Amino acid sequence: MFMHQKRLQYTVRVAETNPGLANLMLEQFGGPQGELAAAMRYFTQALGEDDPGRKDMLLDIATEELSHLEVIGSIVAMLTRGAKGKLAEAAEEQAELYRTINGAGNDSHVTQVLYGGGPPLTNSGGVPWTAAYIDTIGDPTCDLRSNIAAESRAKIIYERLINLTADPGVREALGFLMTREVAHQKSFEKALYAIEPNFPSGKLPGDPRFSDTYFNMSQGGPERRGPWNQGPQWDYVSERERQMAVDGGDGGASVQLSSDEAATLERLRARTKSEPTVDPVTGADLGAGPGAGSTTLGSDEEPRPSKR
Amino acid sequence: MFMHQKRLQYTVRVAETNPGLANLMLEQFGGPQGELAAAMRYFTQALGEDDPGRKDMLLDIATEELSHLEVIGSIVAMLTRGAKGKLAEAAEEQAELYRTINGAGNDSHVTQVLYGGGPPLTNSGGVPWTAAYIDTIGDPTCDLRSNIAAESRAKIIYERLINLTADPGVREALGFLMTREVAHQKSFEKALYAIEPNFPSGKLPGDPRFSDTYFNMSQGGPERRGPWNQGPQWDYVSERERQMAVDGGDGGASVQLSSDEAATLERLRARTKSEPTVDPVTGADLGAGPGAGSTTLGSDEEPRPSKR
Amino acid sequence: MFMHQKRLQYTVRVAETNPGLANLMLEQFGGPQGELAAAMRYFTQALGEDDPGRKDMLLDIATEELSHLEVIGSIVAMLTRGAKGKLAEAAEEQAELYRTINGAGNDSHVTQVLYGGGPPLTNSGGVPWTAAYIDTIGDPTCDLRSNIAAESRAKIIYERLINLTADPGVREALGFLMTREVAHQKSFEKALYAIEPNFPSGKLPGDPRFSDTYFNMSQGGPERRGPWNQGPQWDYVSERERQMAVDGGDGGASVQLSSDEAATLERLRARTKSEPTVDPVTGADLGAGPGAGSTTLGSDEEPRPSKR
Amino acid sequence: MFMHQKRLQYTVRVAETNPGLANLMLEQFGGPQGELAAAMRYFTQALGEDDPGRKDMLLDIATEELSHLEVIGSIVAMLTRGAKGKLAEAAEEQAELYRTINGAGNDSHVTQVLYGGGPPLTNSGGVPWTAAYIDTIGDPTCDLRSNIAAESRAKIIYERLINLTADPGVREALGFLMTREVAHQKSFEKALYAIEPNFPSGKLPGDPRFSDTYFNMSQGGPERRGPWNQGPQWDYVSERERQMAVDGGDGGASVQLSSDEAATLERLRARTKSEPTVDPVTGADLGAGPGAGSTTLGSDEEPRPSKR
Amino acid sequence: MFMHQKRLQYTVRVAETNPGLANLMLEQFGGPQGELAAAMRYFTQALGEDDPGRKDMLLDIATEELSHLEVIGSIVAMLTRGAKGKLAEAAEEQAELYRTINGAGNDSHVTQVLYGGGPPLTNSGGVPWTAAYIDTIGDPTCDLRSNIAAESRAKIIYERLINLTADPGVREALGFLMTREVAHQKSFEKALYAIEPNFPSGKLPGDPRFSDTYFNMSQGGPERRGPWNQGPQWDYVSERERQMAVDGGDGGASVQLSSDEAATLERLRARTKSEPTVDPVTGADLGAGPGAGSTTLGSDEEPRPSKR
Amino acid sequence: MFMHQKRLQYTVRVAETNPGLANLMLEQFGGPQGELAAAMRYFTQALGEDDPGRKDMLLDIATEELSHLEVIGSIVAMLTRGAKGKLAEAAEEQAELYRTINGAGNDSHVTQVLYGGGPPLTNSGGVPWTAAYIDTIGDPTCDLRSNIAAESRAKIIYERLINLTADPGVREALGFLMTREVAHQKSFEKALYAIEPNFPSGKLPGDPRFSDTYFNMSQGGPERRGPWNQGPQWDYVSERERQMAVDGGDGGASVQLSSDEAATLERLRARTKSEPTVDPVTGADLGAGPGAGSTTLGSDEEPRPSKR
């Protein structure tokens, strides 16, 4: 069960209102790397988890991320608090209000016209949050890796936001939130490596014929190699012939059709077959206009008279 | 520049058509962990990458993932190849066709009615692929971690698909695709650790007051701890008081308003203030019906006569 | 700040696993009327709210909805708990596993193949949750009305789910969740009517020429009227002429263009103008085939020779 | 059947073109509270409605909302009519055109580059309209409440738009549209209360143990109460113990597993169990760099000397 | 199989960085008419195609579109290359960085804050690419028409982008990409007309009673006709009576219900029927406030005493 | 202005209820090729259109498509009319109801549980309708081509639906709807070719160096050519060297950086550079477990002996 405490996990002190900055902060409120995504990622993993230690950790961190969602949302609410009343009360004449929400450095019209100055669950571009951001698949070694990556991404977005404002209260709160992502990443790393073995994920082993091969698919310039494709553990394959049909087959795709299926497919194929030997007049030919015909129709062609 | 070779990277031999199974395979064609997501993830990273070695690696693997997209798409096309003609040619009577696309074990109606038996870029539930699946943010240590996690997830989805079919040709091709995810994960791991240091991501250091703290936010049962929150590197905080307002402030949210802003906000507040001391008749009271009134209105109440 | 208690708000006792039923339950986990939508609806409203009483109420109910999200998610997790291991461990032969996830009455393939048996934030059709479900706009009289409607909808979805299962533990927990929606609706009703006046929303009065008019736009059969369009407060307008251009103008749309704009627009218009007096040969004419020409081209027509 | 009349329901006279303002107006064309959402909301309800009076009302109002969609769309078309030709005809030099679509107060690049100056079904931020905005669930007492809320929201968005422009023709047309939302809300209110009883929605009664309880979930500051949680009809519960496991159970989640299920789950659990007593070296440890090791690795560890 | 060549299909030489322009270019990278949409459109069609000539053509063009995706993505990467480092390195003071990403003519905050200066698969408004953009349905005469239309649209978007920049290197590369769309349209036109007949699509003939009828549904002003509704091939129907129930029936909708179904429906109808003869007090009446009552309640009405 | 007539454009007579079939019909109600997409496509084009003839035609057809939306929606409503009451009234015992909505051939659970038996604006898979389906870009020669393609696609979906039901009333109504798509396609074709020239779209001519070239990008098997790439009008380019850097440049991507930009970028590059000559221990190495180390670590390495 969740409980709420009226004090924030970190005090929010904003120096002055700024709806344009508020809009950027939405990236960590309703954006793909934001706190709702984090909280829901860990919370849904916790529900499906049977390992008691991991389950507890996931609930701890999910709950903290909800508390962070509250902190970042409170920053947004403070930054838009002045603007919130203006539009509702029509406190300025129209042209001035228009400039306020649509001016340079203050792209906040979606936030204000649609959401009335409250913090919406969108990213800074106004795209609504979607659970498609959550990549949980229900295997702990995968999900922990996903969590590690997610924490590292969230850390960077906070770093970028810190670089964009000089307001000391905002910077301090963002610094706290950023640091906690680092701490969470460390926890998830420990949890991943507490499972042994954790690589590769799952139960099926890889096919040894293909697990140490590196296919050099991009060619034609200087090859810059590194530990990801050189050294004794890698078989580096550049010959195009050795990249194709690596099973030794013909590289085709085939299926056994029943005779009914084959017959039906043949009917479909006949009905829609292309006639490759005739050069038909096309809609583009018709549309190119009188003067343009010669560019697409050969000069000695009659526009397919035998067909009409 | 991309070039195409008509041979597949792995030969596809399907034993018999099965549109229901094809539908499951879509998970790795147009699903969140599928090959389009992988190819586009690495391709867009490559375009923004300045390190020549990583750029080359990303292009190599992106190109291979496109080739895998072709393999899994060819499996889908083969599995639906028999069904494709039936609906187009109306080759069976209607009730039989209806059963074919809507029957038990064969949930393929979206694929067939809407997409005509071709492989659509949807997941197995028919949800169209979206770039919201791609979590690239333009920092190499984050993006490589995201790639590592993505490869581990894709490996598991292939493993699940392998567990769902006995067709040897399909299993073999899926085994190849699964194994390549393992190899790619290894490459991305090498590339991540070839950056030193790579943790934490970015440039700003964490705030040392908060980087080694673990907040025990979920309480009330047996605490199951592990290396993610115990040992000398962790400060484990269970006291609720030490979890709140950890900056030492009052835990509130505040902003300096200009006098204009404050005055406007006050007008808005007055206009929409709630009157807490009166118990108003509500729409629910009206709607509860004559007999039900007593459950929500006190028996001694007159329906707010002084207000009307 | 949020805190978590390991005990659920309501004990979940499920009689037997049933992934098909779990799939239906997702409607209230990640569906449009579900608990995440409710929690986020109230939580974001609370952040932007200045009235202390309403803010407190919104936080109370948001926190309870998060606790309900945990209850319904736990029901899902229990119902899929048996299935979860089967696919991961390949515990049955393939055809059996295929039937398990794809069979009649058990449409759970997305949940299982993609999400591994954990509770995903999707509706029962697999569509990911989106913040587009939340209709908060930052005006309290609107948002409270939206909350009232949302609670009434959630009540009905729970009622439908209760009608679909005979498992007493599941029914009992769903009954609790359903009842709480009723209680929340009552609270929101009280909060709405504690604002006086609350109708119409906002500050601008309606135009008295149009606020009591009912336009009878659908005609041609028996008119069934009711208090929504009859009685002394309604001006019921059926004459089509009185429904058009009700301002008394010409019903057209116009704008003052600058001379530059007018000239440019004229150039665009000339370039793309349609020639209404010629009957051009079209792509459809070409495509209709030799025998079909007569149905679309008049018999006395030469295929536009003067145009080529 | 629908029929169309070339005259608008309200004459549109725009004083001058302004693509930036047009962009804001899109909020009521293709935005969540806009006219398409309204029209489709009522139209789809009408199709499923059996009560003849409500069905007729829903069709009347749906048809009027389509007519409003035409009015607001015509405003957009007039405001962009000057800009429309400029980009198509390349009527200005490039830098000037760039400023025109991307300048301060004129964020209209999506509208112009992608949609060519026509009115797209997006909100003012460019997000495509989605049927996820429609919350119809097929119960009349819910759907009417949803309609009431929707009309009140649409009224406010129009009010905000009116506050943002001084163009008298635009203000007048918006005033008409705003007023009609008020009239529609009144109709839907009448229709809701013409059903008796209408609260709670649906057929199942609430559980009397929980229907009058208010859970004080957010604590720790001054409690501001009101009619939504005080008075004789409410049981106000603040003790955390009385908020948990309110059924009197243990607050856990459980399910009866078959022995097969239990055995399989045990295998999965064993394979992925976390080993809580060892402090493993992690990827973050590797990545923290040589100097940083001491903060995360215990002092008695040798951090990989052979590798560095 | 796909292979990659490090040389681009067209050399990209950008004169100076400009993240605002980069943002516009995204329209053809991850926008609905962009190169990913084109490549995936043709690639998925190729996989489902049985005609060997068309299949080969689709693969040729799909592969070229992937190469174009690389060209336009490289333009984006070059235009943002300067900005990319600034935010990551915090190379300017905060207010300056804020202006850089949020200033007039430079709406690039989503690209930079969220994506770090790399090319994301979004349109210029930040909306993630979705496979909903792809309209392939698996019939060659439809899909080729869709491709023809898609190429013509992509041509126009490139034309608009060319009109917005004076950078000669960018203009030249865009000119190449634009021209190739013209060439592809020509190929698809030839492929369409190489199928005979290709109109109408599919196998079922139209009903001759309705295939040459034009319904004049929009009336009330000057009728401007053209070859699309006049001439011997069209039956032009303006009489409203002849537009309704054109089958000669009553224009109603009916279904045979079983007696069980009818009885259940009757119960539902009775439970939710509206009482048209009473004028109920509504929530809006309550909310309109004491002074406002008279506008919605008749002066002689008592607020429904008999109902309470 | 729109007006509504209570008679449908085509009478709907359904023989018996069938919610599974209703679900398929949704494809043309709220699916990508359905009637809402058609109506909104033409309606929004009409609003932005200046040519009076085309504008009138677009309004005629948009209005008719709305009337078709009503016909197909009425079919859905009739097919679900029996089921609608059952769930609401709990008219059957739970297991029976569960089978009714979740059984073989009757995948209607989303429609019923979420939408209560009414017709929702989703496709047959439950995906909500999105304006991303509409490809209008505001150029008449493109938009007409898009309309032509859209009509041909809608025709096919109707044909498939006709093939799936034997109910004569449903088949007849679908036949009418299908035929009208054919008629609309003919109108749009006439309107396209009434613009001269209409190919290529827009104003800018193609670059003659590239407009007649066909790049043979897919090679390695039998080349099957046709009029789309052979004949006097095509320059068929197979040599890979002639496909790359076709401008004659080096095929690279470059931009002039300011010295500040270059310096900042260099700092970023140095900070994140990969060290290609060391073979680092990775997370995967750690995770592969004790026995597995040898496959990825060189033989002379001691893999972390102190930790295991």
Side-chain angles (χ1 to χ4, degrees), chain F:
Chain F
M1 191 188 78
F2 289 93
M3 299 170 289
H4 186 263
Q5 224 292 342
K6 289 196 176 66
R7 268 180 288 166
L8 294 169
Q9 200 183 8
Y10 202 94
T11 308
V12 168
R13 283 201 191 83
V14 177
E16 61 179 2
T17 63
N18 182 343
L21 183 60
N23 195 59
L24 297 185
M25 297 292 153
L26 289 179
E27 206 62 56
Q28 288 301 81
F29 189 69
Q33 317 305 338
E35 298 291 355
L36 179 62
M40 287 303 117
R41 170 188 288 275
Y42 310 138
F43 175 65
T44 55
Q45 287 174 24
L47 290 175
E49 179 62 79
D50 272 310
D51 185 86
R54 281 199 300 269
K55 188 187 191 87
D56 199 354
M57 173 191 69
L58 288 163
L59 283 169
D60 284 335
I61 301 183
T63 307
E64 190 180 348
E65 303 286 21
L66 281 173
S67 304
H68 295 176
L69 186 69
E70 193 183 14
V71 173
I72 187 80
S74 298
I75 293 174
V76 174
M78 290 304 109
L79 287 166
T80 57
R81 206 167 171 222
K84 181 180 145 179
K86 282 187 198 166
L87 196 52
E89 299 301 309
E92 292 170 345
E93 58 96 15
Q94 295 95 359
E96 180 56 30
L97 275 174
Y98 182 85
R99 272 190 296 276
T100 307
I101 69 163
N102 226 7
N106 194 352
D107 178 11
S108 60
H109 66 262
V110 180
T111 322
Q112 291 199 51
V113 176
L114 180 50
Y115 300 109
L121 285 167
T122 68
N123 75 354
S124 68
V127 178
W129 192 87
T130 163
Y133 295 149
I134 300 185
D135 48 25
T136 298
I137 63 160
D139 176 282
T141 66
C142 296
D143 289 345
L144 287 167
R145 282 186 172 91
S146 299
N147 299 353
I148 288 166
E151 293 289 348
S152 80
R153 294 193 300 268
K155 194 268 181 185
I156 289 290
I157 307 292
Y158 276 124
E159 182 167 337
R160 289 176 186 160
L161 292 174
I162 290 170
N163 289 345
L164 287 164
T165 177
D167 183 322
V170 175
R171 286 172 65 89
E172 202 192 324
L174 294 176
F176 167 72
L177 297 170
M178 181 190 80
T179 299
R180 295 304 298 154
E181 313 295 18
V182 176
H184 294 163
Q185 182 176 344
K186 290 196 304 191
S187 287
F188 290 128
E189 296 259 5
K190 290 292 179 189
L192 172 62
Y193 293 98
I195 305 173
E196 288 235 326
N198 64 53
F199 177 83
S201 296
K203 205 176 164 188
L204 280 181
D207 182 332
R209 293 177 297 165
F210 305 119
S211 57
D212 299 318
T213 305
Y214 185 94
F215 291 114
N216 176 23
M217 303 300 280
S218 174
Q219 303 184 11
E223 300 294 343
R224 307 293 285 263
R225 297 177 60 183
W228 47 84
N229 61 15
Q230 72 186 357
Q233 72 267 44
W234 290 111
D235 178 18
Y236 185 81
V237 176
S238 281
E239 304 88 322
R240 294 295 189 192
E241 279 296 320
R242 282 189 58 213
Q243 295 174 346
M244 299 169 195
V246 295
D247 58 309
D250 61 5
S254 57
V255 61
Q256 295 296 327
L257 296 173
S258 72
S259 58
D260 269 12
E261 290 175 327
T264 303
L265 202 58
E266 186 48 43
R267 291 217 303 279
L268 173 61
R269 213 180 297 161
R271 183 161 64 78
T272 61
K273 87 166 187 313
S274 66
E275 177 50 74
T277 58
V278 171
D279 187 4
V281 176
T282 71
D285 295 333
L286 295 181
S294 59
T295 66
T296 53
L297 293 175
S299 59
D300 56 346
E301 287 182 90
E302 284 307 304
R304 278 183 316 153
S306 67
K307 300 298 297 179
R308 322 208 121 243

Side-chain angles (χ1 to χ4, degrees), chain C residues 5 7-17 33 52-53 56-57 59-60 63-64 67 78 81-82 84-86 88-89 91 132-133 135 137 139 142 145-146 148-149 152-153 155-156 159-160 162 176 178-180 182-183 185-187 190-191 199 201-207 209-218 223-224 227-228 233-234 241 243-247 249-257 261 264-265 267-269 271, chain D residues 5 7-17 33 52-53 56-57 59-60 63-64 67 78 81-82 84-86 88-89 91 132-133 135 137 139 142 145-146 148-149 152-153 155-156 159-160 162 176 178-180 182-183 185-187 190-191 199 201-207 209-218 223-224 227-228 233-234 241 243-247 249-257 261 264-265 267-269 271:
Chain C
Q5 224 292 343
R7 269 180 287 166
L8 295 169
Q9 199 181 9
Y10 202 95
T11 308
V12 168
R13 283 200 192 83
V14 178
E16 61 180 0
T17 64
Q33 317 307 338
D56 199 354
M57 173 191 69
L59 283 169
D60 284 335
T63 307
E64 189 180 348
S67 304
M78 291 304 109
R81 207 168 171 221
K84 182 181 144 180
K86 282 188 197 167
E89 299 300 309
Y133 294 148
D135 48 24
I137 63 159
D139 175 281
C142 297
R145 282 187 172 89
S146 299
I148 287 166
S152 80
R153 295 192 301 268
K155 194 268 180 186
I156 290 289
E159 182 168 338
R160 289 176 186 159
I162 290 169
F176 167 72
M178 181 189 80
T179 298
R180 295 304 298 153
V182 177
Q185 181 176 344
K186 290 196 303 191
S187 287
K190 291 292 180 189
F199 177 82
S201 296
K203 204 177 164 187
L204 280 182
D207 183 332
R209 293 178 296 165
F210 306 119
S211 57
D212 299 318
T213 305
Y214 185 95
F215 291 114
N216 176 23
M217 304 299 280
S218 174
E223 300 293 344
R224 308 293 285 264
W228 47 84
Q233 73 266 44
W234 291 111
E241 279 296 319
Q243 295 174 345
M244 299 168 195
V246 294
D247 58 309
D250 61 6
S254 57
V255 63
Q256 295 296 326
L257 296 173
E261 289 175 328
T264 303
L265 201 58
R267 292 218 302 280
L268 173 61
R269 215 180 296 161
R271 182 161 65 78
Chain D
Q5 224 292 341
R7 268 180 288 166
L8 295 169
Q9 198 182 10
Y10 202 95
T11 308
V12 168
R13 284 200 190 84
V14 178
E16 61 180 3
T17 63
Q33 316 306 338
D56 199 353
M57 174 191 68
L59 283 169
D60 284 334
T63 307
E64 189 179 349
S67 304
M78 290 304 110
R81 208 168 170 222
K84 182 180 144 179
K86 282 187 197 169
E89 298 301 309
Y133 294 150
D135 47 25
I137 62 159
D139 176 282
C142 296
R145 284 187 172 90
S146 298
I148 287 166
S152 80
R153 295 191 303 266
K155 194 270 180 185
I156 289 288
E159 182 167 338
R160 289 175 186 161
I162 289 170
F176 167 72
M178 181 188 79
T179 299
R180 295 303 299 153
V182 176
Q185 182 177 344
K186 289 196 304 191
S187 288
K190 290 293 181 189
F199 176 83
S201 296
K203 204 175 163 187
L204 281 181
D207 182 332
R209 291 177 298 163
F210 305 119
S211 58
D212 299 319
T213 304
Y214 186 95
F215 291 114
N216 175 25
M217 304 298 279
S218 173
E223 300 294 344
R224 308 292 286 261
W228 47 84
Q233 73 267 43
W234 292 110
E241 279 296 320
Q243 296 175 342
M244 300 169 195
V246 295
D247 57 309
D250 61 6
S254 57
V255 62
Q256 295 296 328
L257 296 173
E261 289 175 328
T264 304
L265 201 58
R267 292 220 302 279
L268 173 62
R269 212 181 296 161
R271 183 162 63 78

Side-chain angles (χ1 to χ4, degrees), chain C residues 49-84:
Chain C
E49 179 61 78
D50 271 311
D51 185 86
R54 283 200 299 269
K55 188 187 192 86
D56 199 354
M57 173 191 69
L58 288 162
L59 283 169
D60 284 335
I61 300 183
T63 307
E64 189 180 348
E65 304 287 19
L66 282 173
S67 304
H68 295 177
L69 185 70
E70 192 183 16
V71 173
I72 187 79
S74 297
I75 293 174
V76 174
M78 291 304 109
L79 287 166
T80 57
R81 207 168 171 221
K84 182 181 144 180

